Amino acid sequence: MDKLKAMTIFNAIVEEASMSGAARRLGIANSVVSKNLNELETWLGRKLIYRSTRSLKLSLEGQTYYDKIKDIVMAVDSLEHPDNLENIDLIGSVKMTAPVMMGKRLCQHILPKFHAEFPGVHLNILLADDFNDMVEEGIDIALRVSKLPDSNFIAKKLGKQALRLVTSLDYVEKFGAPLSPESLNKHVCIIDNSVANPKRWGFSNTDGGISSVHIDGPIEVNDAECVVNLCEAGVGLAQVPEIFVNESIRQGRLIELLPEKTMEFDISILYHQKSTGSPIIKAVIDFIINNTDEQYFL
């Protein structure tokens, strides 16, 4: 058995979360992936992955083994592709998550430059609008528009994001505009059920605090871009993070309602206190902070 080859294949299986994904990534046959995994498990004398027709799940021993070999595999790969010798010593992998639209902007503006400077760092990026359990899913870094989840995490501010109440001019001409948050129950509200408490919309009040109102509506969807499309089509109104609607407002496809009541949240980069000693995680965090223009998220 070629131990390095088997380790590389096992590493790819874990990171792709499938045997076929590992085969595609490495350009080999599925049978080669299966054969090397079986030989590796036999050589180690332990089960690394529980396999079914639909899913793969790491065993405890598999997770431990992956944690030990992932940097070795990355180091070997970087030595074969030394694109940036200045940072060749920074080798390893980082798993991060971000809201879908924010993650797309990150991939467009920040991460290409990061890869050019740190070619030895493998980034595993999970885009999701719901908040992932960072510990449960082994996530090192999270970008979120929210408050700090608990005291075990450190948050560094990247900017601000407003929740804008929007609709189309066509809707307002037909049905009028709400004069206050409390009058929203007289309007067609489009609900984004990918967020927490989707039927409670928050607004700033005169005391500088936040008040919320209960809303309901005939359409629920778990994607903010679909919500925006429905608003632009004149179906109703919605409360959406400004990253999704600022361009539509600028181009006149949407109008903002009750702007004086707009609520803002910090855009933060979150990481666990235990990660502060990792130079790789620190490099990713520092690069994002130092290279992020708040306009990317507007």
Side-chain angles (χ1 to χ4, degrees), residues 4-209:
L4 181 57
K5 180 180 179 182
M7 287 163 53
T8 301
I9 289 173
F10 174 69
N11 184 79
I13 293 170
V14 175
E15 293 182 351
E16 297 295 328
S18 78
M19 308 271 280
S20 57
R24 285 192 300 272
R25 172 169 160 177
L26 299 174
I28 57 179
N30 288 349
S31 59
V32 176
V33 172
S34 181
K35 177 177 179 291
N36 275 266
L37 177 58
N38 290 335
E39 288 179 350
L40 183 62
E41 289 180 326
T42 300
W43 179 66
L44 292 171
R46 66 194 70 176
K47 194 73 173 173
L48 299 177
I49 294 177
Y50 295 112
R51 315 190 267 291
S52 72
T53 54
R54 292 188 176 183
S55 65
L56 299 177
K57 183 175 176 59
L58 276 178
S59 67
L60 257 160
E61 292 87 353
Q63 182 64 58
T64 301
Y65 188 67
Y66 170 71
D67 291 339
K68 288 179 178 178
I69 62 99
K70 62 181 179 179
D71 289 347
I72 297 172
V73 173
M74 185 59 62
V76 172
D77 184 66
S78 293
L79 289 172
E80 292 176 350
H81 305 91
D83 300 318
N84 190 326
L85 296 177
E86 182 181 349
N87 290 304
I88 197 69
D89 57 333
L90 198 60
I91 296 167
S93 57
V94 174
K95 188 173 184 180
M96 61 185 297
T97 184
V100 175
M101 183 63 77
M102 192 172 292
K104 288 179 179 178
R105 301 284 176 88
L106 200 70
C107 290
Q108 179 182 2
H109 298 288
I110 306 295
L111 298 186
K113 293 185 286 186
F114 178 86
H115 173 69
E117 188 164 337
F118 299 97
V121 177
H122 177 90
L123 294 176
N124 183 355
I125 305 161
L126 174 65
L127 302 186
D129 288 325
D130 55 334
F131 196 96
N132 304 91
D133 187 318
M134 293 177 67
V135 175
E136 176 94 9
E137 298 188 35
I139 294 170
D140 301 301
I141 299 169
L143 265 67
R144 281 293 176 255
V145 184
S146 64
K147 297 179 181 178
L148 186 65
D150 66 51
S151 59
N152 291 322
F153 290 87
I154 297 170
K156 291 190 177 181
K157 182 179 172 182
L158 292 176
K160 283 187 173 293
Q161 184 80 183
L163 286 176
R164 303 203 181 279
L165 183 67
V166 296
T167 192
S168 67
L169 182 60
D170 182 58
Y171 177 89
V172 172
E173 289 175 345
K174 289 180 179 178
F175 305 106
L179 301 178
S180 68
E182 291 72 26
S183 63
L184 286 172
N185 59 8
K186 300 176 182 177
H187 290 270
V188 177
C189 296
I190 303 167
I191 300 163
D192 179 1
N193 61 20
S194 70
V195 302
N197 300 317
K199 293 187 179 182
R200 293 207 72 86
W201 289 357
F203 299 89
S204 62
N205 55 41
T206 53
D207 300 326

Side-chain angles (χ1 to χ4, degrees), residues 100-101 104 129 192 221 223-230 240 244:
V100 175
M101 183 63 77
K104 288 179 179 178
D129 288 325
D192 179 1
V221 62
D223 180 84
E225 288 185 285
C226 288
V227 170
V228 173
N229 291 337
L230 289 165
V240 191
F244 292 97

